[in-house]
Amino acid sequence: MKKLLTIIAIIAFIFTGLGSTAAAYDTKVYHWSYKPEKDNKPVTTEPHYLELLEKYGGYFIGNTDKKELYLTFDNGYENGYTAKVLDVLKEKKVPATFFVTGHYLKTEQDLIKRMVNEGHIVGNHSYHHPSLPEVSEDRLKRELEKVKEEYTNITGQKDMNYLRPPRGTFSEKSLALSNDLGYTNVFWSMAYKDWEVDKQKGADYAYNQIMKRIHPGAIMLLHSVSKDNAEALGRVIEDCRKQGYAFKSLDELLLDRMMLEETRNQ
């Protein structure tokens, strides 16, 4: 009897400890930001953000010693230009990641299938696009699970490994919970105000905004609702390559990081 009580006490202690750990996650809401640099130099971000990304396996930039670029798009709704973007990517043989919402999955199933069939990654951008650090644990889990479930129903693919936090907001708790669900949080080190569809300024403007921000290891955030982006993309890819850049996928970035960690641990 005494032994049984001891076992029960140990189990209770373990669960109490787990509860304390979960409760210990910082819930302070942060808004993603980085510090721009001139002359196409790699950017950095707040030291505390770096610590959180390191702790929970997130990324915002690749290897800054290599002239590699990672092209990502956020897709909340369709504005008629994603097919053009996919045409350019196919012609130039460039991989990309498309972070999609529930609305996009419901309304653009043919484009989702095309993304997968042409070798691109489809990532999670949540179902309803809420600020994940400001919803309950259950809601966060549902937001991500519903996207993955719908994606699997459309494509038959079961793997969805990357998360772009909606609105660029996060907390230690949202990073930890999403990481526990199997996601790598992917922020960005290059972006510009390209989502305002009523304020497009032409392909030359988009080209210039992108080219002055590229840098080694850049994770590029673009929106395919932008007509300017769609029209500038081919030129951007060509001229980035002329400057010695190569376009890589997030899977390659993750693999490179894993190999680097293995080397460090040997």
Side-chain angles (χ1 to χ4, degrees):
M1 183 67 178
K2 184 177 180 180
K3 186 176 180 180
L4 177 60
L5 290 174
T6 302
I7 294 172
I8 293 172
I10 291 171
I11 293 172
F13 175 80
I14 291 171
F15 277 93
T16 300
L18 289 174
S20 299
T21 302
Y25 288 135
D26 186 359
T27 58
K28 181 177 179 179
V29 178
Y30 299 104
H31 296 261
W32 178 251
S33 64
Y34 55 87
K35 299 173 183 177
E37 295 284 351
K38 296 180 180 180
D39 302 320
N40 300 105
K41 294 180 180 178
V43 307
T44 187
T45 186
E46 300 296 332
H48 185 52
Y49 295 2
L50 292 174
E51 291 173 6
L52 289 173
L53 292 180
E54 176 70 20
K55 186 174 182 179
Y56 298 106
Y59 301 99
F60 82 101
I61 197 168
N63 187 338
T64 57
D65 293 327
K66 296 182 179 181
K67 297 189 79 172
E68 296 176 342
L69 302 172
Y70 303 89
L71 191 56
T72 73
F73 294 88
D74 284 2
N75 290 66
Y77 68 97
E78 183 53 45
N79 197 33
Y81 302 112
T82 302
K84 169 64 175 175
V85 167
L86 288 168
D87 288 344
V88 173
L89 296 175
K90 184 176 182 179
E91 177 189 349
K92 306 297 182 184
K93 296 182 172 60
V94 169
T97 300
F98 295 86
F99 290 98
V100 301
T101 63
H103 174 79
Y104 202 89
L105 287 161
K106 284 290 187 184
T107 59
E108 304 299 334
Q109 297 187 5
D110 288 343
L111 285 173
I112 295 292
K113 291 176 183 177
R114 183 179 172 188
M115 291 169 188
V116 172
N117 291 338
E118 295 182 1
H120 302 296
I121 295 169
V122 176
N124 203 320
H125 201 34
S126 81
Y127 202 86
H128 296 101
H129 204 262
S131 174
L132 293 181
E134 299 177 80
V135 301
S136 69
E137 292 183 26
D138 287 344
R139 169 81 185 276
L140 183 150
K141 185 177 181 180
R142 290 198 307 273
E143 286 285 340
L144 303 187
E145 286 182 342
K146 286 182 68 176
V147 167
K148 186 174 181 179
E149 180 181 331
E150 192 69 28
Y151 168 71
T152 299
N153 289 339
I154 293 169
T155 67
Q157 303 292 317
K158 295 183 179 180
D159 292 335
M160 181 170 271
N161 303 317
Y162 302 100
L163 169 65
R164 170 65 47 77
R167 310 184 190 186
T169 60
F170 64 101
S171 66
E172 180 184 15
K173 188 173 184 178
S174 70
L175 292 178
L177 292 175
S178 54
N179 186 242
D180 286 345
L181 291 170
Y183 287 97
T184 296
N185 282 267
V186 181
F187 292 88
W188 57 93
S189 64
M190 193 229 84
Y192 80 102
K193 201 179 238 186
D194 62 345
W195 61 88
E196 296 179 325
V197 296
D198 58 339
K199 296 181 180 179
Q200 298 292 287
K201 299 179 181 179
D204 286 345
Y205 176 80
Y207 171 86
N208 290 328
Q209 293 302 308
I210 295 169
M211 294 303 294
K212 73 181 183 181
R213 289 172 168 82
I214 62 166
H215 53 265
I219 294 180
M220 306 166 65
L221 165 58
L222 298 175
H223 291 81
S224 61
V225 295
S226 166
K227 179 175 182 288
D228 294 353
N229 282 344
E231 294 180 349
L233 185 59
R235 185 180 167 199
V236 165
I237 292 170
E238 290 174 2
D239 287 358
C240 283
R241 283 174 166 164
K242 287 177 183 177
Q243 292 185 25
Y245 284 97
F247 287 87
K248 301 287 186 175
S249 76
L250 291 183
D251 282 346
E252 291 174 290
L253 172 59
L254 194 60
L255 180 60
D256 287 347
R257 290 293 177 93
M258 290 171 62
M259 292 175 66
L260 181 60
E261 288 177 6
E262 280 186 19
T263 301
R264 287 174 178 171
N265 294 330
Q266 287 177 353

